[in-house]
């Protein structure tokens, strides 16, 4: 028996997930007549975290739609900025995204990060338990049903990764309010309170300090501050341009 055939057109923004042969308009796809459209789209290699509207013959349908023979499907990317209802916007990053996690924290964005590989099931469970958007380049992880929400990180370069996340989710920015080491909130601190973490030269040269309320790490405008400030300035400039 012939399997029902549909035609699927994948938006250019999602072309990196599909073979070259599926990047030129609507292409045929055999279905089994019982699986959902979401399953069919994932079978092409596109994580559902990256899919916005699914349009069948001109009308939007849910991922649970059972495709019928002859239907034409448009697979569109998520709208930007993407809204994640049901919880405050916060993130969870896998072991490969440490630099991105630190930069998000620098901007005051709640970004939990696993510095060791705890495995996909544990990451997905934490995403669900804490209602965090899972950021990863691992398509298999993003296909796990127990995720609260997820997003594919499209670039290998931290600058591009940060730009993409800020553009996609438009999180509120509160620079210099989080610990880049542990994600805890910072408070103002006196020199005496952090003296045990300061070298003699630092004690002489700096008078303004902050301290993490979670891990106790001290912060001041040290040698790398200009580089960090440039990251903050670019992010704030991007937000201003988008308003």
């Amino acid at each position: 028996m012939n399997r029902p055939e549909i035609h699927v057109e994948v938006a250019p923004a999602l072309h990196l997930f599909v073979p070259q042969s599926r990047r030129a308009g609507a292409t045929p796809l055999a279905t089994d007549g019982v699986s959902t459209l979401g399953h069919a789209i994932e079978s092409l290699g596109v994580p559902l975290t990256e899919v916005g509207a699914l349009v069948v013959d001109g009308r939007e349908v849910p991922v649970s739609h059972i495709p019928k023979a002859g239907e034409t499907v448009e697979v569109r990317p998520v709208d930007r900025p993407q809204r994640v209802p049901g919880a405050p916007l916060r993130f969870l990053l896998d072991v490969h995204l440490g630099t991105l996690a630190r930069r998000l924290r620098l901007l005051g964005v709640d970004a939990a990060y696993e510095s060791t590989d705890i495995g996909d099931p544990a990451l997905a469970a934490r995403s669900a338990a804490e209602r965090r958007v899972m950021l990863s380049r691992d398509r298999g992880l993003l296909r796990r049903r127990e995720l609260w929400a997820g997003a594919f990180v499209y670039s290998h370069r931290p600058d591009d990764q940060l730009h993409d996340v800020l553009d996609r989710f438009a999180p509120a920015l509160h620079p210099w309010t989080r610990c880049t080491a542990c994600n805890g909130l910072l408070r103002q601190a006196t020199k005496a309170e952090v003296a045990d973490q300061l070298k003699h030269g630092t004690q002489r040269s700096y008078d303004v300090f902050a301290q993490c309320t979670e891990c106790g790490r001290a912060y001041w405008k040290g040698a790398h501050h200009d580089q960090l400030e440039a990251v903050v300035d670019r992010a704030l400039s991007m937000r201003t341009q988008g308003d």
Side-chain angles (χ1 to χ4, degrees):
M1 180 181 297
N2 291 333
R3 300 171 66 189
E5 187 176 85
I6 62 176
H7 284 77
V8 180
E9 181 173 358
V10 179
L14 302 175
H15 278 178
L16 79 161
F17 297 111
V18 298
Q20 188 72 35
S21 60
R22 291 196 177 275
R23 299 178 184 179
T27 57
L29 175 67
T31 66
D32 60 13
V34 295
S35 297
T36 66
L37 182 56
H39 177 81
I41 299 308
E42 283 191 322
S43 74
L44 297 177
V46 184
L48 291 183
T49 59
E50 306 312 295
V51 174
L54 291 171
V55 180
V56 174
D57 294 337
R59 63 186 179 90
E60 190 170 337
V61 301
V63 293
S64 59
H65 173 77
I66 306 299
K68 300 177 180 62
E71 289 181 336
T72 297
V73 181
E74 295 178 56
V75 184
R76 299 176 180 175
V78 293
D79 291 332
R80 295 188 177 217
Q82 181 181 352
R83 302 305 178 194
V84 184
L89 181 60
R90 50 191 180 182
F91 300 97
L92 172 62
L93 291 79
D94 69 19
V95 66
H96 303 292
L97 298 175
T99 299
L100 176 59
R102 288 188 292 273
R103 292 189 178 187
L104 287 170
R105 292 169 178 177
L106 177 66
L107 296 171
V109 177
D110 189 339
Y113 163 66
E114 291 292 347
S115 60
T116 57
D117 189 356
I118 64 173
D120 289 0
L123 283 169
R126 183 175 180 186
S127 166
E130 300 180 11
R131 295 188 172 188
R132 291 181 178 274
V133 179
M134 185 78 239
L135 300 181
S136 178
R137 289 183 50 79
D138 183 342
R139 302 181 197 184
L141 171 57
L142 295 176
R143 291 182 64 173
R144 298 193 70 90
R145 293 291 180 258
E146 63 269 38
L147 281 178
W148 165 252
F152 184 76
V153 175
Y154 285 78
S155 175
H156 291 281
R157 298 181 65 252
D159 286 348
D160 295 336
Q161 290 173 349
L162 181 62
H163 185 282
D164 185 45
V165 171
L166 297 183
D167 177 69
R168 177 165 174 171
F169 292 100
L173 304 183
H174 305 285
W176 317 108
T177 61
R178 284 191 179 273
C179 176
T180 56
C182 81
N183 198 43
L185 293 174
L186 301 181
R187 66 169 183 85
Q188 290 185 337
T190 65
K191 184 182 294 189
E193 288 176 311
V194 297
D196 60 336
Q197 299 184 52
L198 306 179
K199 296 181 179 179
H200 188 61
T202 303
Q203 288 199 22
R204 292 198 316 267
S205 304
Y206 301 97
D207 295 303
V208 179
F209 298 91
Q211 188 171 33
C212 178
T213 57
E214 295 292 330
C215 71
R217 179 170 175 169
Y219 289 87
W220 60 93
K221 294 182 179 181
H224 300 293
H225 182 76
D226 288 349
Q227 298 174 24
L228 300 178
E229 196 161 40
V231 173
V232 171
D233 289 346
R234 284 195 298 269
L236 294 178
S237 174
M238 173 185 167
R239 179 60 47 83
T240 300
Q241 292 171 5
D243 292 340

